[in-house]
């Protein structure tokens, strides 16, 4: 019986090998034909039609330099849609570096200069959270304000005024709507706690903004305001308004700070915006930053209803540039706010991107000692789990995943847990977790692909094929998705 099974495996392997060879030859011929069709339309100046054929040829693996350069030329001479921008970056940053990639890089450098000349002195590069752009994609953005019995009404109105101001200066992009019942995108609360002997400026004591998101879906933002200053007196309306401008700016998705004192997102040690009892005006840099920020296609959002003009790469750079900017910001933050965990978390994330895992873990341990709320503790434990995962200490990674789960049970934790098991060689547990995630959200492409990849690692190709086929059947529009098409050979078996 065993010899029959082995014989079947041998025959299947031989047939599969012949099929793969035939498919490679066929795809090469097809890629050349599609490129020639693209060239025909390119010479006629019909760049849109040429791009259709060039893209199909590119997806089949055409690496010819002349073809690639012609494709880049059609992209840079066409309307710069989000899709076109992403394709140009694909050439600039791809594994193949030739004259086509150099043309793409040259074009992107000039386009970056043009954008930043249009929005001078903006500080959008400080916006990312974990190297990702996050903001609301559906208007109006709803918000609620809940006060305690000791909260003066004028403080509530000061916060409400800050929403009005930011809407007014944001041109036509941002719209707010105050709601009084149900769930809101932004939830504003006040607390009566008095802070004594604070070691740092009031801005970081009396107000905190916290984002909540899962699987790149922005769910809500919360802003919590204190009403008392360090002397135990209630803040004035102007002081509350100044603080609220800063916090609502955060709640729009801007997760960083800037370092020019005249701007509302300045990280201030002396907290002049609170000590000064005059209402602060938004600077021109604030306005330009907000306008540009909401023209960037987000990585994390609640909907895709807005039309965007730029991809993040053009505005905040590649991963190396983002890492450098966040490291510089984290250093300044730690210098000005040594008792606030956020700076150490940002520094750790920058170090993780540089693969400096021991240093990242050291900063996260500092942040953990300073963390005093559930959201921050979750973030620290989650990042510790990631750091130990990349450092190869899978046992500790599991421990910190369990610690993080004491505060939140997010899908991102389950994904990390699955990946840790897979790295350990425990494919069955990895498959079990991804199966549960895919069952919970069957239309989530990332879960389906991760599950299929794990089956492939387990050499269970037919199971992987079945999962992908079922996904395509239920989501026919995904048939031409680049990630799915990458399994072409497996799907044709």
């Amino acid at each position: 019986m065993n010899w029959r099974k082995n014989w079947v495996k041998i025959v299947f392997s031989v047939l599969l090998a012949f099929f793969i060879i035939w498919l490679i030859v066929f795809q090469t011929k097809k890629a050349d034909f599609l490129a020639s069709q693209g060239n025909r339309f390119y010479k006629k100046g019909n760049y849109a039609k040429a791009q259709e054929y060039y893209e199909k040829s590119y997806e089949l693996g055409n690496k010819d330099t002349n073809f690639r350069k012609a494709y880049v030329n059609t992209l840079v001479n066409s309307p710069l849609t989000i899709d076109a921008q992403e394709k140009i970056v694909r050439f600039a940053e791809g594994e193949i570096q030739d004259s086509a990639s150099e043309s793409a890089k040259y074009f992107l450098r000039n386009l970056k200069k043009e954008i930043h000349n249009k929005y001078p002195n903006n500080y959008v590069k400080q916006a990312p959270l974990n190297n990702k752009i996050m903001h609301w994609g559906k208007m109006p953005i709803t918000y609620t304000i809940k006060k305690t019995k000791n909260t003066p009404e004028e403080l509530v109105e000061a916060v409400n005024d800050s929403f009005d101001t930011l809407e007014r200066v944001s041109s036509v992009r941002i719209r707010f709507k105050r709601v009084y019942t149900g769930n809101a995108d932004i939830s504003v609360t006040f607390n009566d706690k008095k802070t004594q002997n604070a070691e740092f400026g009031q801005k970081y004591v009396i107000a905190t903004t916290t984002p909540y998101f899962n699987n790149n879906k922005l769910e809500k933002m919360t802003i919590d305001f204190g009403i008392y200053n360090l002397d135990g007196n209630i803040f004035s309306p102007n002081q509350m308004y100044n603080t609220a401008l800063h916090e609502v700016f955060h709640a729009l998705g801007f997760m960083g700070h800037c370092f020019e004192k005249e701007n509302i997102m300045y990280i201030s040690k002396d907290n002049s915006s609170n000590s000064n009892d005059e209402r602060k005006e938004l600077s021109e840099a604030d306005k330009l930053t907000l306008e540009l920020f909401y023209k960037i296609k987000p990585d994390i959002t609640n909907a895709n209803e807005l039309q965007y003009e730029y991809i993040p790469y053009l505005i905040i750079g590649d991963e190396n540039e983002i890492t450098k900017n966040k490291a510089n910001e984290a250093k300044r933050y730690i210098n000005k706010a040594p008792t606030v965990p956020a700076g150490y978390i940002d520094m750790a994330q920058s170090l993780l991107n540089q693969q400096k895992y021991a240093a990242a873990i050291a900063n996260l341990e500092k942040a953990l000692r300073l963390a005093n709320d559930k959201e921050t503790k979750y973030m620290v434990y989650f990042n510790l789990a990631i750091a130990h995962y990349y450092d190869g200490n899978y046992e500790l990674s599991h421990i910190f995943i369990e610690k993080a789960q004491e505060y939140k049970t997010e899908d991102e934790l389950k994904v990390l847990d699955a990946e840790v098991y897979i790295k350990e060689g425990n494919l069955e547990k990895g498959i079990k977790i991804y199966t549960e995630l895919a069952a919970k959200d069957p239309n989530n492409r990332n879960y389906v692909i991760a599950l299929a990849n794990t089956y492939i690692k387990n050499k269970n190709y037919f199971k992987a094929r079945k999962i992908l086929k079922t996904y395509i059947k239920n989501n026919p529009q995904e048939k031409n998705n680049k990630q799915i098409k990458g399994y072409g050979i497996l799907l044709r078996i």
Side-chain angles (χ1 to χ4, degrees), residues 41-110:
F41 286 104
Y42 176 68
K43 289 174 182 177
K44 292 180 179 180
N46 189 341
Y47 295 150
K49 198 67 178 176
Q51 282 180 38
E52 290 181 22
Y53 285 100
Y54 283 155
E55 180 60 22
K56 292 175 182 176
S57 182
Y58 180 93
E59 289 177 352
L60 289 173
N62 194 336
K63 299 178 182 179
D64 179 75
T65 298
N66 291 330
F67 151 73
R68 285 165 51 83
K69 194 162 186 179
Y71 192 3
V72 170
N73 286 338
T74 65
L75 290 168
V76 301
N77 286 291
S78 301
L80 285 176
T81 62
I82 293 295
D83 182 61
Q85 293 172 32
E86 289 173 343
K87 287 175 179 175
I88 295 170
V89 172
R90 183 180 64 184
F91 278 100
E93 300 293 331
E95 291 182 5
I96 300 175
Q97 292 296 302
D98 54 12
S99 57
S101 60
E102 287 302 315
S103 294
K105 288 177 183 177
Y106 178 78
F107 176 80
L108 291 171
R109 281 195 296 269
N110 288 334

Side-chain angles (χ1 to χ4, degrees), residues 195-259:
T195 304
Q196 298 293 333
N197 302 319
E199 297 180 23
F200 184 60
Q202 298 167 13
K203 181 161 306 268
Y204 296 93
V205 173
I206 69 157
T208 57
T209 299
T210 306
Y212 294 84
F213 57 94
N214 193 19
N215 291 328
N216 293 332
K217 174 72 180 293
L218 180 56
E219 296 175 344
K220 65 176 179 177
M221 290 272 188
T222 62
I223 308 176
D224 183 55
F225 292 102
I227 66 173
Y228 294 102
N229 63 22
L230 296 178
D231 297 323
N233 299 317
I234 291 178
F235 284 101
S236 74
N238 286 343
Q239 291 169 336
M240 182 59 66
Y241 171 82
N242 295 338
T243 301
L245 276 180
H246 182 100
E247 298 304 327
V248 176
F249 211 109
H250 277 316
L252 284 170
F254 192 98
M255 289 293 103
H257 294 89
C258 72
F259 306 102

Side-chain angles (χ1 to χ4, degrees), residues 58-214:
Y58 180 93
E59 289 177 352
L60 289 173
N62 194 336
K63 299 178 182 179
D64 179 75
T65 298
N66 291 330
F67 151 73
R68 285 165 51 83
K69 194 162 186 179
Y71 192 3
V72 170
N73 286 338
T74 65
L75 290 168
V76 301
N77 286 291
S78 301
L80 285 176
T81 62
I82 293 295
D83 182 61
Q85 293 172 32
E86 289 173 343
K87 287 175 179 175
I88 295 170
V89 172
R90 183 180 64 184
F91 278 100
E93 300 293 331
E95 291 182 5
I96 300 175
Q97 292 296 302
D98 54 12
S99 57
S101 60
E102 287 302 315
S103 294
K105 288 177 183 177
Y106 178 78
F107 176 80
L108 291 171
R109 281 195 296 269
N110 288 334
L111 183 56
K112 285 181 180 181
K113 289 179 183 178
E114 182 182 320
I115 294 169
H116 286 287
N117 285 337
K118 186 178 178 181
Y119 299 91
N121 302 319
N122 77 77
Y123 49 90
V124 173
K125 288 187 177 183
Q126 305 305 128
L129 173 71
N130 296 341
N131 288 10
K132 292 184 177 182
I133 290 292
M134 174 176 65
H135 61 61
W136 303 101
K138 180 181 179 181
M139 298 295 151
I141 304 168
T142 59
Y143 70 96
T144 59
I145 301 179
K146 299 176 183 178
K147 66 173 187 174
T148 66
K149 63 180 181 179
N150 295 324
T151 306
E153 187 60 34
E154 53 263 35
L155 296 192
V156 175
E157 288 308 308
V159 172
N160 198 55
D161 288 348
S162 72
F163 281 94
D164 292 340
T165 297
L166 286 168
E167 178 177 310
R168 188 173 62 252
V169 303
S170 66
S171 183
V172 296
R173 301 289 291 182
I174 297 173
R175 289 291 176 268
F176 291 111
K177 179 181 179 181
R178 185 175 177 180
V179 295
Y180 297 87
T181 58
N183 295 325
D185 297 322
I186 302 173
S187 177
V188 178
T189 57
F190 291 88
N191 71 74
D192 300 330
K193 184 170 62 177
K194 294 186 178 181
T195 304
Q196 298 293 333
N197 302 319
E199 297 180 23
F200 184 60
Q202 298 167 13
K203 181 161 306 268
Y204 296 93
V205 173
I206 69 157
T208 57
T209 299
T210 306
Y212 294 84
F213 57 94
N214 193 19

